[in-house]
Amino acid sequence: MTFMLTTKMLQRFQTQAKVENPRYGQLIIGPPGSGKTTYCNEAYKFYRELGRQVGVVNLDPANDNMSYEPVINVMELITVEDCMEHLQLGPNGALMHCAEYLEKHIEDWLLPALRKLSATHNYFLFDCPGQIELYTHHNAMARVFERLERERYSLVTVNLIDSHYCSEPAKFIATLLMALNTMMRMSLPHVNVLSKADLLRKHESKLHFNVDYYTDVLDLKYLLEKLDDDPTMRKYQKLNEAICSMVEDYALVSFQLLDAFSTDSMLRLRNHIDKANGYVYKAGEEQTVNSLLACAVGAESEAVRQQNDVQPYVE
């Protein structure tokens, strides 16, 4: 897995070295309530302080409670409320229609709006809809992302999952399957994030294992044993075993912990994201291949990683 990602990153570096003004983006996805809009707001302020030319693009046509000022807002094109009123659709159907409408108008609305910002912005946070079916069963958003890549945007999918799911084995396994499905369908560099990690202390007594068991997605057979203790879940034993086996076979899913209000936490997540979308390899930086590989692989000891990634969130 590390070699595959490293090769992908080096390919991006070689491509970006030929681009005079490379552009980067984070595609913020995740279920409703996972903290996408909060992350976009805090990340915008965080990256501005770092000196990046960053802007937030709202692609959620139902996001009427934004705490940031978007540079582009899909609600100026279409809204879920209007679809429900005029097309007599339910909330889910309306959101899917909005995604299809955005895809239809990417050439005459989204891309021209992004091009107008090219002189002042080169880094974008795309606040995406929260309906998970848009990334696991529907193709409109994937085609929008693919078109952005063809426009020479170096993208990474940042998938936010509420960290309290770690406290319930059945929900955590469902989260793993959902994350794997999304990663494979989006076909983009991908960073899975356990958001609201500062609240893990409230659920720590319910965790069956140490936090790194969940972030690193270690041997899932131990989690299956906890499911077998639940009479309701015991009858799905073979199905649960098959799901866990598939997740382990691909060996792609792992998580980063995030407290969006912690500078240290945002810095560590930034390092992972910058490696994934190639920002760390941006054109103009004098770096050798060896130094790029060292940066991509990382050289932290397990003790240092534990101290920085786990200990801030649990007792």
Side-chain angles (χ1 to χ4, degrees), residues 29 59-61 92-100 128-143 145 182 185-186:
I29 68 172
L59 295 183
D60 185 353
N92 290 343
L95 195 51
M96 288 190 175
H97 176 81
C98 289
E100 293 168 355
C128 299
Q131 188 180 21
I132 196 61
E133 290 89 344
L134 290 173
Y135 314 105
T136 58
H137 298 83
H138 203 252
N139 294 322
M141 293 304 294
R143 286 193 286 261
F145 300 159
T182 303
R185 287 182 63 85
M186 292 297 101

Side-chain angles (χ1 to χ4, degrees), residues 115-229:
R115 288 166 186 153
K116 288 181 181 179
L117 295 166
S118 61
T120 55
H121 297 76
N122 68 353
Y123 199 103
F124 294 93
L125 305 169
F126 294 90
D127 192 356
C128 299
Q131 188 180 21
I132 196 61
E133 290 89 344
L134 290 173
Y135 314 105
T136 58
H137 298 83
H138 203 252
N139 294 322
M141 293 304 294
R143 286 193 286 261
V144 170
F145 300 159
E146 181 183 354
R147 182 64 186 89
L148 288 172
E149 277 223 306
R150 294 205 308 271
E151 193 71 5
R152 308 302 291 273
Y153 282 84
S154 296
L155 302 175
V156 55
T157 304
V158 180
N159 183 26
L160 299 186
I161 304 292
D162 198 316
S163 62
H164 87 267
Y165 288 156
C166 295
S167 62
E168 300 183 44
K171 287 185 178 180
F172 185 68
I173 289 177
T175 293
L176 294 176
L177 184 61
M178 179 184 68
L180 180 61
N181 190 354
T182 303
M183 293 172 73
M184 299 185 70
R185 287 182 63 85
M186 292 297 101
S187 299
L188 288 167
H190 194 102
V191 177
N192 290 306
V193 178
L194 290 174
S195 62
K196 306 177 186 178
D198 52 310
L199 301 180
L200 269 176
R201 289 186 179 89
K202 292 184 178 180
H203 308 288
E204 188 176 1
S205 61
K206 298 180 182 179
L207 298 181
H208 296 287
F209 308 101
N210 294 333
V211 173
D212 56 348
Y213 176 89
Y214 300 95
T215 56
D216 295 342
V217 189
L218 301 175
D219 196 337
L220 294 179
K221 71 179 181 182
Y222 298 109
L223 205 60
L224 284 171
E225 294 173 1
K226 299 301 178 183
L227 283 177
D228 292 340
D229 293 339

Side-chain angles (χ1 to χ4, degrees), residues 29-98:
I29 68 172
S34 58
K36 296 186 299 298
T37 298
T38 298
Y39 170 75
C40 285
N41 184 51
E42 297 303 317
Y44 170 74
K45 295 185 290 186
F46 173 77
Y47 286 115
R48 280 289 296 268
E49 290 180 1
L50 293 179
R52 297 192 187 180
Q53 298 173 312
V54 62
V56 184
V57 177
N58 176 46
L59 295 183
D60 185 353
N63 191 359
D64 54 4
N65 191 29
M66 289 174 284
S67 51
Y68 55 81
E69 185 67 33
V71 291
I72 300 174
N73 188 357
V74 74
M75 297 184 73
E76 297 175 2
L77 176 71
I78 191 171
T79 68
V80 165
E81 186 177 354
D82 286 344
C83 286
M84 292 176 65
E85 179 180 351
H86 298 295
L87 300 178
Q88 302 300 305
L89 295 172
N92 290 343
L95 195 51
M96 288 190 175
H97 176 81
C98 289

Side-chain angles (χ1 to χ4, degrees), residues 235-283:
K235 60 183 178 181
Y236 302 113
Q237 181 182 21
K238 290 185 178 180
L239 175 61
N240 293 329
E241 287 177 354
I243 291 174
C244 289
S245 176
M246 180 174 62
V247 171
E248 289 184 329
D249 287 346
Y250 280 97
L252 291 176
V253 183
S254 61
F255 295 94
Q256 306 300 320
L257 290 167
L258 172 67
D259 173 6
F261 300 102
S262 165
T263 300
D264 287 342
S265 184
M266 290 289 283
L267 279 169
R268 294 184 69 77
L269 180 60
R270 179 212 62 177
N271 293 340
H272 289 281
I273 291 173
D274 283 356
K275 295 170 189 175
N277 70 1
Y279 188 89
V280 72
Y281 313 122
K282 62 184 180 296

Side-chain angles (χ1 to χ4, degrees), residues 20-35:
E20 185 176 349
N21 295 307
R23 292 164 293 181
Y24 304 87
Q26 297 181 28
L27 305 168
I28 317 302
I29 68 172
S34 58

